[in-house]
Amino acid sequence: MQLALIVVWIGSAILLIASHFVDADVKDGFRGYKVYRLTIQSQRQLDLINRISEDVDQKGLTDEVDVWTELPRVFSPQRRNSFTALILLSPEKQAAFLETFDSESISHEVTIPDLAVSVAMGAPPVALTK
């Protein structure tokens, strides 16, 4: 247990030091970007998120929208009743995507309220989303 805490502390210290070398423009470039955790409960919802992910990749829009979770193609209720996916949304895209999620009954919650602040703090995004 103590070893795990030491490893986490060392990793955080390294990220904090490294964050000082990240260009301020890059940090500010993420101002207002949010990461949402989506709860996927059906094949229809899964298909929608997979389509979003494919469209974003094909159109090169990952600077505005980015699905951070590798998703299966087939929803498997045997795994659990639902599973989650993480999606990054730019400020300009948030309203439209949240409206879509609401209309498709995909529940969502903010896991990183401002990516620029997280990058500036040197916090690893994965740790912030747990």
Side-chain angles (χ1 to χ4, degrees), residues 20-76:
H20 291 289
F21 296 102
V22 175
D23 187 349
D25 289 339
V26 172
K27 291 180 198 173
D28 287 339
F30 292 112
R31 184 135 341 268
Y33 280 65
K34 293 181 181 180
V35 177
Y36 294 86
R37 178 178 289 121
L38 310 176
T39 301
I40 299 169
Q41 299 177 325
S42 70
Q43 184 65 49
R44 178 184 168 107
Q45 292 174 343
L46 178 61
D47 290 343
L48 173 64
I49 303 304
N50 274 318
R51 273 195 315 276
I52 290 170
S53 182
E54 290 168 5
D55 287 349
V56 163
D57 289 343
Q58 288 175 358
K59 296 176 182 174
L61 300 175
T62 54
D63 58 335
E64 297 175 359
V65 177
D66 196 13
V67 178
W68 284 8
T69 306
E70 189 171 325
L71 298 170
R73 289 305 208 187
V74 177
F75 182 79
S76 175

Side-chain angles (χ1 to χ4, degrees), residues 99-120:
E99 184 177 314
T100 299
F101 300 152
D102 288 342
S103 72
E104 294 296 326
S105 300
I106 298 174
S107 60
H108 49 83
E109 65 178 317
V110 175
T111 59
I112 301 177
D114 191 332
L115 190 57
V117 172
S118 298
V119 170

